Amino acid sequence: MQLKIYNSLTAEKEIFKPILDGNVGMYVCGPTVYSNVHLGNVRTFLSFDFIYRSLMHLGYKVRYVRNITDAGHLTDDGNVDNDRFVKQTRLEKLEPMEIVQKYTVDFHKVLEMFNLLPPNIEPTATGHIVEQIELTQKLIERGFAYESNGSVYFDVLEYNKRGLNYGELSKRNIEELFANTRDLDGQGEKKNPQDFALWKKASPAHIMRWNSPWGEGFPGWHLECTAMSTKYLGETFDIHGGGMDLKFPHHECEIAQGKACNDAAPVNYWMHANMLTMNSQRMSKSTGNYILPMQLVTGDNDFFEKPFHPTIVRFCFLQAHYRSVLDISNDAMMASEKGFVRLMEAVKVLNAITPNDEKQSGFSLAEWKNKCYEALTDDFNSPILIAHLFEAVKYIFALNDDKETVSTQDLEDLKTTLNAFIFDVLGLQAVEENNNEKLDQTLKVLIELRNQARKSKNFELSDQIRDKLLAEGIELKDGRDGTSYVLN
Ligand code: AMP
Ligand code: ZN
């Protein structure tokens, strides 16, 4: 079965042909480690974890590179003095590298919680300053970049004059860009407002700075990904991924830098994961419309009615295709939990099934497997794959009720395939005996008893319930809509 991947560059599903047969080089833009990752960020990284797992399951040897942006990521307004790291160091009264370390550790912890596999290489921007300076020099030598007042900019107009096409990924028309862009960053320094920084001169307030041929400064955000991806995967590599919002300008700039440096497109397949929304709005730190992963897992939030195990969150995410928007809600999480419990129950039941070789079955294992692989190879269609897994679940329960039959060989095959899809490809984890659900029910009983005690003015008992639970790390919170709990 041939693997098809939707390529954002051509806006088509294409048959995947790796550069080196059987091998895949994949680069995914990592986090900017100046604060905690929110659940939206997790969705993008989880989408690519599923793609990484799928590629390996399909037999590819993958080199997966995901960077850490620990320098040079300006704010959206492009003002150097609003650099995210600089701002956070002031706020937290920490050294820049303390900020970097703190949030890198947090990032790893969060991804581990959701059972994401680590990439093969996790390079940092600060660890590749030399490479970024070299690339900048090369771009100047080739006439694609110019120095201005200690900063170096990429010359977008020059790039287009040479027949290259800035805007090819985001499908933006260059003339439109020239007409509509205001010069916010590097006022007066650039030839054209859409020229982007390869190297920025450090202002006195800028603590993270390095020596360069153009004086003290720091690298531009777009350049780091070109430096690190091509260093570890080659001048042209197979897959580049990231969230949809990175298409422009970040990935557009990466294409321009790659082509200008090496006369070749840097990436064969561009993959973009869609956004997680909450209240139908994109999850984002800047608007305040976000939830931290730990808040969902502990229940310390006002949005979900109870805490959810990380694997349920993972399952919920994978029930949407990576290219579709997913709106996270209490109902979606509750439905995912229900589905997950049934899936796990089927895995358990399957282990106790005995084969019956004599009778014919109405379920064709070969056909079912085929459909599963069709879904997986059709641009990593996880929701369709999961729907097929539930056909097997139905069959397993029918087997358990002696309403269906299975041969010895098929039974072994079903076990192997189902386990591989659930645990290796989807990356779900078996939650012990659905403890979560039992704990939830038990706590609801205790909350009810405490309410009754309070009503009958038995405050000694109601306080005792609250304090004893707190001693066990369970905090009761009284709100307008009743009492909820937080697992600390
Ligand atoms: P950042 O640390 O801001 O560079 O973001 C890290 C990754 O999270 C990028 O690939 C973004 O595209 C992605 N991202 C940001 N917000 C969301 C969201 N609401 N849903 C999904 N991915 C997101
Ligand atoms: Zn990047």
Side-chain angles (χ1 to χ4, degrees):
M1 218 173 276
Q2 281 182 314
L3 172 61
K4 290 181 275 334
I5 293 183
Y6 181 86
N7 190 348
S8 309
L9 188 63
T10 57
E12 269 175 31
K13 245 186 236 175
E14 296 174 10
I15 290 175
F16 178 63
K17 289 197 197 83
I19 295 166
L20 204 65
D21 222 10
N23 290 263
V24 178
M26 177 164 90
Y27 184 90
V28 172
C29 293
T32 310
V33 283
Y34 71 101
S35 70
N36 306 94
V37 277
H38 59 66
L39 202 63
N41 302 132
V42 173
R43 184 187 179 205
T44 287
F45 297 121
L46 202 148
S47 293
F48 285 100
D49 180 66
F50 168 63
I51 289 165
Y52 174 43
R53 286 168 176 272
S54 302
L55 287 167
M56 288 196 292
H57 181 74
L58 294 171
Y60 291 103
K61 186 171 182 296
V62 188
R63 180 181 287 173
Y64 176 23
V65 183
R66 189 186 62 215
N67 73 300
I68 297 276
T69 296
D70 56 355
H73 193 166
L74 305 180
T75 52
D76 295 333
D77 67 5
N79 183 347
V80 189
D81 295 325
N82 284 339
D83 182 294
R84 294 168 199 228
F85 290 102
V86 176
K87 268 177 113 173
Q88 202 64 21
T89 51
R90 283 189 202 130
L91 205 67
E92 295 197 42
K93 296 197 171 54
L94 292 174
E95 275 290 310
M97 285 317 266
E98 279 184 292
I99 297 282
V100 164
Q101 177 71 6
K102 179 175 171 184
Y103 294 113
T104 303
V105 168
D106 172 74
F107 173 65
H108 287 152
K109 257 196 209 152
V110 168
L111 294 201
E112 206 181 307
M113 183 165 83
F114 291 102
N115 203 25
L116 272 77
L117 298 172
N120 303 104
I121 304 176
E122 195 171 45
T124 61
T126 54
H128 295 76
I129 301 290
V130 172
E131 287 82 351
Q132 294 175 78
I133 291 176
E134 280 171 5
L135 279 182
T136 306
Q137 280 174 316
K138 194 170 174 185
L139 287 167
I140 294 176
E141 278 161 26
R142 297 190 125 219
F144 285 104
Y146 57 91
E147 196 229 315
S148 175
N149 190 28
S151 294
V152 181
Y153 295 100
F154 188 94
D155 191 338
V156 173
L157 199 61
E158 176 61 29
Y159 179 77
N160 262 37
K161 268 194 204 149
R162 298 200 202 179
L164 297 157
N165 180 15
Y166 187 77
E168 60 184 304
L169 177 67
S170 54
K171 321 287 178 236
R172 281 171 203 235
N173 180 316
I174 188 77
E175 278 76 34
E176 224 175 276
L177 274 177
F178 274 79
N180 295 337
T181 319
R182 279 187 305 135
D183 185 4
L184 292 164
D185 173 26
Q187 211 107 37
E189 287 180 358
K190 296 185 196 174
K191 288 189 193 169
N192 287 296
Q194 41 289 120
D195 291 354
F196 54 89
L198 300 168
W199 186 264
K200 281 299 282 185
K201 179 184 177 169
S203 67
H206 213 97
I207 325 163
M208 289 177 101
R209 51 169 73 218
W210 291 266
N211 267 326
S212 81
W214 316 283
E216 283 196 358
F218 57 95
W221 171 39
H222 315 310
L223 192 62
E224 68 170 90
C225 284
T226 296
M228 292 185 262
S229 60
T230 55
K231 172 163 178 156
Y232 299 109
L233 299 171
E235 289 175 1
T236 300
F237 54 95
D238 297 299
I239 298 175
H240 192 314
M244 286 276 193
D245 56 328
L246 298 187
K247 249 192 206 177
F248 188 88
H250 187 49
H251 292 160
E252 198 71 73
C253 295
E254 275 190 57
I255 293 180
Q257 289 164 164
K259 281 188 170 177
C261 266
N262 305 314
D263 298 318
V267 176
N268 286 343
Y269 301 85
W270 280 96
M271 296 183 75
H272 289 100
N274 217 326
M275 297 289 111
L276 184 73
T277 60
M278 195 164 82
N279 301 314
S280 307
Q281 296 213 339
R282 190 180 132 186
M283 199 171 279
S284 151
K285 273 262 167 88
S286 55
T287 57
N289 184 46
Y290 72 91
I291 183 165
L292 295 179
M294 270 324 267
Q295 292 178 312
L296 179 53
V297 169
T298 61
D300 188 10
N301 65 80
D302 301 325
F303 193 73
F304 295 93
E305 73 183 53
K306 64 188 252 340
F308 289 97
H309 191 280
T311 208
I312 311 283
V313 184
R314 187 172 175 113
F315 188 54
C316 180
F317 282 4
L318 292 172
Q319 279 176 303
H321 187 238
Y322 77 90
R323 280 195 290 119
S324 308
V325 171
L326 170 65
D327 193 53
I328 189 100
S329 66
N330 193 62
D331 287 353
M333 286 300 300
M334 293 300 279
S336 290
E337 186 164 74
K338 226 169 131 189
F340 178 81
V341 169
R342 189 166 153 80
L343 193 62
M344 287 301 132
E345 187 63 25
V347 171
K348 217 165 74 189
V349 164
L350 185 60
N351 285 327
I353 302 276
T354 46
N356 179 342
D357 283 289
E358 292 112 66
K359 290 189 214 145
Q360 272 295 108
S361 165
F363 183 87
S364 162
L365 190 71
E367 247 174 57
W368 172 77
K369 268 176 78 171
N370 211 43
K371 284 196 288 186
C372 290
Y373 280 102
E374 250 172 34
L376 194 65
T377 53
D378 183 16
D379 194 29
F380 310 100
N381 201 323
S382 55
I384 302 282
L385 171 66
I386 291 171
H388 293 318
L389 296 187
F390 276 98
E391 284 167 29
V393 166
K394 219 164 125 190
Y395 173 55
I396 291 163
F397 285 122
L399 282 171
N400 198 40
D401 293 343
D402 289 329
K403 288 181 183 147
E404 259 294 2
T405 60
V406 64
S407 69
T408 311
Q409 202 189 340
D410 276 5
L411 182 61
E412 279 318 301
D413 202 0
L414 178 60
K415 276 185 197 170
T416 313
T417 314
L418 194 72
N419 278 304
F421 279 132
I422 294 176
F423 300 110
D424 302 342
V425 179
L426 295 176
L428 300 175
Q429 291 164 300
V431 179
E432 271 308 304
E433 284 292 314
N434 191 24
N435 277 342
N436 248 5
E437 189 104 331
K438 290 223 174 86
L439 177 66
D440 185 54
Q441 281 157 3
T442 312
L443 285 171
K444 277 182 182 149
V445 170
L446 283 168
I447 288 171
E448 178 55 31
L449 288 175
R450 177 169 166 261
N451 285 343
Q452 281 174 18
R454 285 208 293 190
K455 257 189 209 149
S456 52
K457 304 216 176 330
N458 187 350
F459 295 116
E460 197 183 326
L461 179 61
S462 68
D463 287 352
Q464 223 178 37
I465 294 174
R466 186 196 60 208
D467 295 344
K468 286 199 166 166
L469 283 175
L470 193 62
E472 296 301 326
I474 300 160
E475 185 186 348
L476 296 187
K477 285 196 162 181
D478 298 314
R480 257 183 298 145
D481 303 325
T483 306
S484 60
Y485 62 90
V486 175
L487 306 175
N488 292 316

